Amino acid sequence: MLPSRAMTGKAVGRSVPRREADAKLRGQARYVGDVTMPGMLHGATVRSQVARGRLRAIHFGPEVRWDEYVVVTAADIIAAGGVNTVALIVDHDQPALVGIGDIIAHREEPVVLLAHPDPHALEPARRAIRLEVEPLPAVLTLDDALAARTVVYGEDNVIKSYGIDKGDVDAAFAAAEVVSEGVYETGAQEQLYIENNGMIGALEGDVVTVWGSMQCPYYVQKGLMKCFGVGPERARVVQLETGGGFGGKEEYPSILGIHVALLARKAGRPVRILYDRGEDMAATTKRHPSRTRVRSAARRDGTLTALDIDFVLDGGAYATLSQVVLSRGTIHAAGPYSVANVRVRGRAMATSTPPHGAFRGFGAPQSIFALERHLDEVAHKLGLTPEALRRKNFVTKGGELATGQLVRDDIDLGALLGSALALADWERKRTDIAAERARSGAPLRRRGLGLATFLHGTGFTGSGEKYLASVVGVEGMADGRVRVLASSTEIGQGTQTVFAQIAADALGVDMADVEVATPDTRDVPNSGPTVASRTCTIVGKLVETAAHTLRARLVAAGLLPADGGGDLRAAVQRHLATLGPLRALAQYEAPPYVKWDEGAFRGDAYGAYSWGVYVAEVEVDMLTYEARVLDFVAAQEVGRVIHPVLATGQIEGGVAQGIGWALYENVVWRDGVMSNNRMTDYIMPTSEDIPPIRVLFAEAPYPYGPFGAKGIGELPMDGPAPAILNAIEDALGVSIRRIPATPEVIMDAVEGAGASNGDGAGAGAGVAGAGVAGAA
Amino acid sequence: MSKLEFSVNGRACTVEVHPMKRLLDVVRDDLGLHGAKEGCGEGECGACAVEVDGRLVVSCLVPVGQCAGARVRTVEGLAPDAATLSKVQQAFLQYGGAQCGICTPGMLMAATALLDKVPRPSEADVRTALAGNLCRCTGYMKIFEAVVRALESA
Ligand code: FES
Ligand code: FES
């Protein structure tokens, strides 16, 4: 892979009009709910409704005329010679449908699929099906999973574990001047894309085809191929306009895609399943709840000498993506600091809830929350400001992260922190707040300031990108324009616009000369999943490389001048007329310095990192214990910014989700399932809850990203929660170690009532006072 | 079933449906206007917002029987023609008010309803007027900017 020149073209670096926007603004964009096909049936899913058990029988009630319905069970998969599984990372994990005699591992397992021409006929039929289940003991909390008295996965409920070991942690603790310790917890979070999951399946000849809302067409294809026992030429997946994903449409569409395809095969007609909000919230994946114990050793001057971190995720009933979420969370647990001795133990545990999955940040927000909350406690104990403690420990260019990776990014965290604090008016506000506190003894509202500093790895973790070996194509079209071929999906971030910008500048043409193909596995190569902040930087780099190759080919054919310029359209047309098809492919190659040892978990975990300093100003109402964010500053270094408006929009949107996770979004578990699975009861931020968000980009071009770009999408999820909770501690003088910090949680902390309860899994140690374990 | 007449985006329509059928389903299924979206079906998200006689409503909670003789406006009725966007749509394009686009039809209807009444809204006006429309993508900032600036040139 060749480094990019950080040059300015006509498109890159400018907020060109978004290509995807016109149809969306006119109400003409076609999402899965807007698409019907001739003869299409409507489908529905019958689910297990017990947390754990063994399915003994399925009874179809006599009150329904079953011959009107298409009914699919696990037996249909087997009878057709397929494999009853949803292949994702591992081939055999969760079944596509629970069969008779099989284990039910959570309450929302699909058991029977139904289809009917009239969507209103589905609900009565669903109710007429009775499942006979032999109950089995379930594991409903992380504590129960860890205790492993009931084992629901493997030998000890551990889905996966990872470890990082750097230096001599025990010796450092033995010699420590100050030791601190805390346990920090984060709750599940629902992605809450406004468009629910939905998919249409049909048989086109002998090709199983699905269309729908998704992030990763090739994941869905993999699932179809395994379950139907067919090759790639007989499984086609097409993305439709997708109304948000945030990770929530990374893996679940594989299940739903299989379901609509199974129904369509049996019906001989297209079938569409659209989840309603209640089903989508209860049955599909959420952010992994977490519990992290952080122990730190420090010198009195604030130098951190050791970190010992135990990071636990609740993975739910199946492995799904938990191991990759865990690996990212484990690697990010030690933050952007240079600490000589680090031990991180990461474990993903199985419980009897629907599997938790991808959500923006992918494990990193959880472990970063713990460390950044912990560091504020350490600062207080040492009598340092939070910013001084961080400055003391920031990793610098050339410094070493926990995995032994040397920082190559041109990053100056001290400077980034300085810019963020200046933009937030930190010093003046701190003086004002101190004066306010001096004036009134028991004010009705208390204000506080908090910050968090963090990093986020660009692209897949470790060897992930090497295994994906993503491919992008650029081809010449009959009218002389070029077309970018990639399976990376537009889910709101502006993928098509950004790819067109990159390709146009790499070819030296107008954006109007570039088309970006719809992700359709029949037409585009596998550029990998749309996850991990990889689309712009990793896939965008491949777009750049493929475009360069295409241009070079035209130059070699004597159709374009070697020194730039020339008429690309004419050259493409001449090539097609005289030399035949014109298509250039680029395949991922790691930057030459990247070395990663998966076994030891050491080396270059990512090709590069994006870096952030986020600052929150918060106010707590002392009567209602409601916390509100008054002001927010998000400063980051993400390499070259390709499209300022889109990039800013990514940051603002991520910050808003982070605010929701920190304060409002409370998944309430009952018997292993989300019980508040409605928008009325699960509160995400509205336009009245989000403060002004001021976004600042420091741009240090990354040589191995397109025109210098690094990853953006996930980074903004990492900073808000710890910054906000740190501000709450500043306001109240008590440390809250658990999110969401709902009024109940804050009240418990202030009034010292201990942990609030009633949340089932994920509740636990909860709130602790400001005190941390004493000095050694 | 009953026969109902009303106008949608200035065109007279007649439908024969159950009067309790949701206005949302009538515009989407019977009239083929798919702009209004269903995000929740219970009045929380605003993705289904349309105007009925100049009033903003969540069409998932309105039985179509209540719309007899009414003037209904949906997102499809905002742009003057296929080549031009309305001022609000144009501002959403320029300032990045739409990401995934699923909330956008409802947002545009709420913003248009506000601007019809308050041509130069403050950010606080916009926040209040859009509080019934959830957006999970943008964090709202770019939407505020678009709405505040939509009629700037007017
Ligand atoms: S669908 Fe009508 S408010 Fe959500
Ligand atoms: S743009 Fe996606 S929900 Fe608003």
Side-chain angles (χ1 to χ4, degrees), chain A residues 679, chain B residues 24 37-48 58-61:
Chain A
M679 281 188 174
Chain B
L24 176 63
K37 304 297 181 198
E38 174 161 353
C40 66
E42 53 181 16
E44 286 291 326
C45 73
C48 64
V58 277
S59 64
C60 69
L61 295 185

Side-chain angles (χ1 to χ4, degrees), chain A residues 194 243-244 246, chain B residues 97-104 134-138 143:
Chain A
I194 306 297
F246 319 115
Chain B
Q99 286 190 18
C100 81
I102 197 81
C103 73
T104 309
L134 297 177
C135 176
R136 192 55 153 171
C137 294
T138 62
I143 294 175

Side-chain angles (χ1 to χ4, degrees), chain A residues 72-327:
Chain A
V72 166
T73 65
D76 292 289
I77 302 173
I78 310 302
V83 184
N84 184 11
T85 187
V86 182
L88 195 65
I89 294 181
V90 290
D91 279 352
H92 293 279
D93 186 21
Q94 57 186 323
L97 292 167
V98 176
I100 309 258
D102 292 348
I103 293 281
I104 289 168
H106 65 83
R107 281 185 70 108
E108 298 290 333
E109 289 234 57
V111 180
V112 182
L113 303 171
L114 300 171
H116 193 278
D118 176 7
H120 301 289
L122 292 168
E123 196 45 40
R126 184 146 64 173
R127 266 187 266 125
I129 290 177
R130 193 172 59 77
L131 304 181
E132 198 178 307
V133 178
E134 170 197 332
L136 291 170
V139 167
L140 297 180
T141 67
L142 208 44
D143 284 322
D144 287 349
L146 289 164
R149 275 184 294 273
T150 302
V151 173
V152 295
Y153 192 98
E155 278 158 24
D156 50 6
N157 294 327
V158 177
I159 295 173
K160 188 78 186 178
S161 61
Y162 287 116
I164 291 176
D165 286 287
K166 178 188 175 193
D168 188 340
V169 171
D170 295 327
F173 273 96
E177 293 176 4
V178 184
V179 172
S180 310
E181 182 169 347
V183 176
Y184 308 86
E185 294 190 320
T186 64
Q189 184 183 22
E190 165 58 34
Q191 291 87 356
L192 214 73
Y193 30 69
I194 306 297
E195 179 208 32
N196 293 316
N197 271 289
M199 206 76 92
I200 301 171
L203 239 51
E204 304 176 296
D206 64 354
V207 179
V208 186
T209 304
V210 304
W211 296 260
S213 184
M214 68 185 80
Q215 294 176 224
C216 312
Y218 275 94
Y219 279 2
V220 180
Q221 190 202 38
K222 179 178 178 180
L224 289 173
M225 284 160 55
K226 187 83 191 171
C227 185
F228 282 72
V230 297
E233 66 296 337
R234 286 186 52 202
R236 177 184 172 205
V237 180
V238 189
Q239 185 218 5
L240 296 174
E241 201 75 67
T242 296
F246 319 115
K249 293 171 185 169
E250 176 169 347
E251 54 188 294
Y252 209 87
S254 297
I255 303 178
L256 189 46
I258 289 171
H259 287 174
V260 290
L262 287 170
L263 280 168
R265 177 173 67 185
K266 189 147 182 192
R269 295 160 72 173
V271 178
R272 182 175 71 181
I273 296 183
L274 299 177
Y275 286 171
D276 68 14
R277 184 56 63 181
E279 181 172 24
D280 195 293
M281 287 176 95
T284 73
T285 60
K286 293 176 224 329
R287 184 185 299 287
H288 289 72
S290 76
R291 180 186 302 168
T292 310
R293 183 176 55 77
V294 182
R295 220 157 60 90
S296 66
R299 285 207 280 274
R300 289 193 204 287
D301 70 356
T303 308
L304 294 168
T305 54
L307 288 171
D308 185 7
I309 297 169
D310 182 50
F311 176 56
V312 185
L313 292 176
D314 176 349
Y318 292 104
T320 61
L321 297 172
S322 284
Q323 74 173 77
V324 252
V325 174
L326 180 72
S327 76

Side-chain angles (χ1 to χ4, degrees), chain A residues 536-548:
Chain A
C536 176
T537 176
I538 305 263
V539 186
K541 178 71 190 174
L542 297 174
V543 172
E544 187 193 30
T545 308
H548 280 149

